[in-house]
Amino acid sequence: EPEVTQTPSHQVTQMGQEVILRCVPISNHLYFYWYRQILGQKVEFLVSFYNNEISEKSEIFDDQFSVERPDGSNFTLKIRSTKLEDSAMYFCASSRGPGAFFGQGTRLTVV
Amino acid sequence: AQSVTQPDIHITVSEGASLELRCNYSYGATPYLFWYVQSPGQGLQLLLKYFSGDTLVQGIKGFEAEFKRSQSSFNLRKPSVHWSDAAEYFCAVGAAGTASKLTFGTGTRLQVTL
């Protein structure tokens, strides 16, 4: 069964460093998303991406964040200068229509 | 703005007992509704979804959910719970007709006693 894969599963980074979280969406999907889940809190939408551009983003998705689909298969989330409060589980998701399939997540810890 | 309320933070049921997890949504138009399950340390797995038509939808792992427009609810049910169903369950709402963002509830943690 096709699935969304994310790498790495765990990342620890120093505050102020840049991180790139990587995702390979399901191959025939057209819509791509990033969500995050701070420990003990609900899953929050960050950004959606369609036709090589951002289609929607939340207030969380400020200038420190960017997304890219560099090669037609990968979908990345970059955080330019990480803050302690960026520590969370980041989920990539993809879909062909309503409802999305989620990856296993990348746990980001900022120290 | 769309929102989802899951009033039960934590539920404990005995194995073999029936289960109902509550979900209420707020949305200005016809919503698309979803239930996801998250096992510890895992991602979110789609259990079932409602778009239109029959208000009782069947999902994977023996789960079903019923859409009640008059009550703005989409409760998840299972007739007989298995120990492996212990997990966190999230209800989510999205805009109808589009592949839009999902808004999640805060989740209900299900514990199953043997």
Side-chain angles (χ1 to χ4, degrees), chain B residues 15-82:
Chain B
E15 190 175 39
S18 64
L19 171 71
E20 182 168 27
L21 302 183
R22 296 184 290 165
C23 171
N24 292 96
Y25 68 90
S26 173
Y27 190 69
T30 301
Y32 284 178
L33 294 159
F34 308 86
W35 275 99
Y36 285 85
V37 61
Q38 184 181 33
S39 297
Q42 301 296 307
L44 295 158
Q45 182 180 23
L46 180 64
L47 280 177
L48 47 77
K49 56 192 176 187
Y50 171 78
F51 294 161
S52 64
D54 193 347
T55 56
L56 185 64
V57 293
Q58 303 296 321
I60 62 171
K61 304 186 180 189
F63 285 92
E64 65 179 27
E66 186 171 13
F67 171 60
K68 293 186 177 180
R69 184 186 300 275
S70 60
Q71 297 176 21
S72 297
S73 69
F74 188 58
N75 293 349
L76 181 71
R77 301 194 294 246
K78 187 169 184 177
S80 177
V81 168
H82 188 262

Side-chain angles (χ1 to χ4, degrees), chain A residues 14-60:
Chain A
Q14 298 260 344
M15 192 168 53
Q17 295 295 303
E18 174 184 287
V19 294
I20 297 177
L21 309 183
R22 301 180 193 280
C23 168
V24 179
I26 295 172
S27 63
N28 62 352
H29 284 185
L30 305 173
Y31 302 86
F32 313 107
Y33 313 85
W34 283 100
Y35 288 79
R36 79 172 185 191
Q37 185 181 33
I38 294 171
L39 189 64
Q41 299 185 23
K42 64 179 173 181
V43 178
E44 301 174 289
F45 168 77
L46 291 178
V47 65
S48 58
F49 192 86
Y50 171 71
N51 202 25
N52 283 318
E53 61 183 24
I54 290 173
S55 48
E56 190 174 1
K57 61 183 180 180
S58 71
E59 317 82 63
I60 303 167

Side-chain angles (χ1 to χ4, degrees), chain A:
Chain A
E1 184 178 316
E3 58 181 22
V4 177
T5 56
Q6 291 186 243
T7 55
S9 56
H10 257 103
Q11 175 133 14
V12 180
T13 189
Q14 298 260 344
M15 192 168 53
Q17 295 295 303
E18 174 184 287
V19 294
I20 297 177
L21 309 183
R22 301 180 193 280
C23 168
V24 179
I26 295 172
S27 63
N28 62 352
H29 284 185
L30 305 173
Y31 302 86
F32 313 107
Y33 313 85
W34 283 100
Y35 288 79
R36 79 172 185 191
Q37 185 181 33
I38 294 171
L39 189 64
Q41 299 185 23
K42 64 179 173 181
V43 178
E44 301 174 289
F45 168 77
L46 291 178
V47 65
S48 58
F49 192 86
Y50 171 71
N51 202 25
N52 283 318
E53 61 183 24
I54 290 173
S55 48
E56 190 174 1
K57 61 183 180 180
S58 71
E59 317 82 63
I60 303 167
F61 194 87
D62 61 22
D63 292 344
Q64 292 297 312
F65 293 88
S66 62
V67 289
E68 201 174 42
R69 190 157 158 80
D71 56 13
S73 63
N74 291 284
F75 180 51
T76 62
L77 174 70
K78 183 193 291 187
I79 308 175
R80 249 179 284 283
S81 177
T82 50
K83 303 187 281 281
L84 294 176
E85 54 264 38
D86 293 327
S87 295
M89 182 75 94
Y90 287 81
F91 292 106
C92 174
S94 69
S95 73
R96 285 185 60 83
F101 292 85
F102 284 74
Q104 299 288 79
T106 293
R107 180 164 297 285
L108 176 66
T109 302
V110 182
V111 297

